[in-house]
Amino acid sequence: MDSFFLSWQRAWAGIGAAGEGGALFAQLMAAYAEPQRHYHTQQHLGECLSAFDGALALAEHPAEVEIALWFHDAVYDVKGHDNEQCSADWARDALRDAGVDTGSAQRVHDLVMATRHTAVPSAQDERLLVDIDLSILGAERARFDEYEQQIRREYAYVPGFLFRRKRREILKGFLDRPAIYSTPHFHDRLEARARDNLRRVTEA
């Protein structure tokens, strides 16, 4: 809990929000602990924040990236199609309510929207945020396999044959990209292992 709160305090103060945002911090921690989640949990949030710590110097607006990480899976309905939109709207509204500059609040909104992974990001902070979110693909084999099991549990209502087909399509989409990671920091560290992980599960 301490590492989470230290990250939150740093980002909240860095973005110019009023107060400590303690109530919002508690709401977000509760959201990441919802029972329908198996991957999009506090574990995932913690891994993202840890990855950000190692790449903080790459951010143009570090506090915005860190706050966006806090919100990027804040709303997670496994049957929903607008989770990122709802999460992004929540972030923007909460930051505006806390007195954050409108431009900064909008950039956080746009960062969260980049985690839809519908396009390869071009702006530096978007590239960094997306690489952090996708860092699980380049995890050690045991963690990657756990991740796949966690995703399956989140979609337990989907029949096995359909889940396997759809999941293979999604993962192959990343594998077919010229590069999975768009920042040298993550590309150098994770690209090769991510491709090994993805080939292993899509060719099985």
Side-chain angles (χ1 to χ4, degrees):
M1 179 67 77
D2 287 347
S3 62
F4 283 113
F5 193 57
L6 288 172
S7 163
W8 177 257
Q9 286 183 312
R10 175 177 65 184
W12 192 250
I15 206 167
E20 293 187 354
L24 185 56
F25 169 79
Q27 290 172 16
L28 288 167
M29 290 296 285
Y32 282 96
E34 290 168 345
Q36 80 277 12
R37 300 172 183 248
H38 297 277
Y39 171 65
H40 297 87
T41 61
Q42 291 178 10
Q43 178 189 21
H44 170 57
L45 175 61
E47 288 171 341
C48 286
L49 296 174
S50 177
F52 173 72
D53 274 340
L56 190 151
L58 303 178
E60 293 180 346
H61 303 95
E64 292 175 6
V65 175
E66 193 163 17
I67 284 284
L69 286 170
W70 273 93
F71 277 96
H72 81 285
D73 286 321
V75 176
Y76 189 69
D77 176 357
V78 293
K79 296 184 180 180
H81 299 288
D82 61 350
N83 290 327
E84 292 87 1
Q85 183 72 60
C86 292
S87 298
D89 290 350
W90 184 8
R92 183 180 57 198
D93 293 347
L95 293 175
R96 283 177 175 170
D97 289 346
V100 173
D101 172 78
T102 300
S104 186
Q106 183 61 45
R107 284 194 297 271
V108 171
H109 178 279
D110 295 344
L111 284 168
V112 174
M113 291 298 286
T115 65
R116 291 178 298 175
H117 304 298
T118 54
V120 177
S122 56
Q124 173 61 16
D125 282 350
E126 288 185 0
R127 292 167 63 205
L128 176 60
L129 181 80
V130 168
D131 278 4
I132 289 171
D133 193 29
L134 295 180
S135 61
I136 188 65
L137 300 181
E140 296 285 353
R141 179 169 179 157
R143 175 63 184 114
F144 179 83
D145 288 349
E146 180 188 36
Y147 154 69
E148 283 294 287
Q149 293 164 7
Q150 290 169 334
I151 293 292
R152 180 66 183 110
R153 287 201 294 276
E154 287 187 343
Y155 288 90
Y157 69 94
V158 179
F161 74 94
L162 182 59
F163 175 84
R164 287 189 294 273
R165 189 179 76 196
K166 292 292 186 181
R167 186 67 180 155
R168 189 175 290 113
E169 289 174 5
I170 291 170
L171 296 181
K172 197 168 185 311
F174 290 114
L175 194 55
D176 289 345
R177 290 183 179 184
I180 296 168
Y181 300 102
S182 56
T183 62
H185 175 89
F186 285 96
H187 187 277
D188 292 349
R189 289 163 174 77
L190 301 179
E191 184 80 18
R193 192 160 59 212
R195 290 191 173 277
D196 286 344
N197 284 331
L198 294 174
R199 274 192 289 267
R200 181 165 55 84
V201 297
T202 56
E203 295 172 2

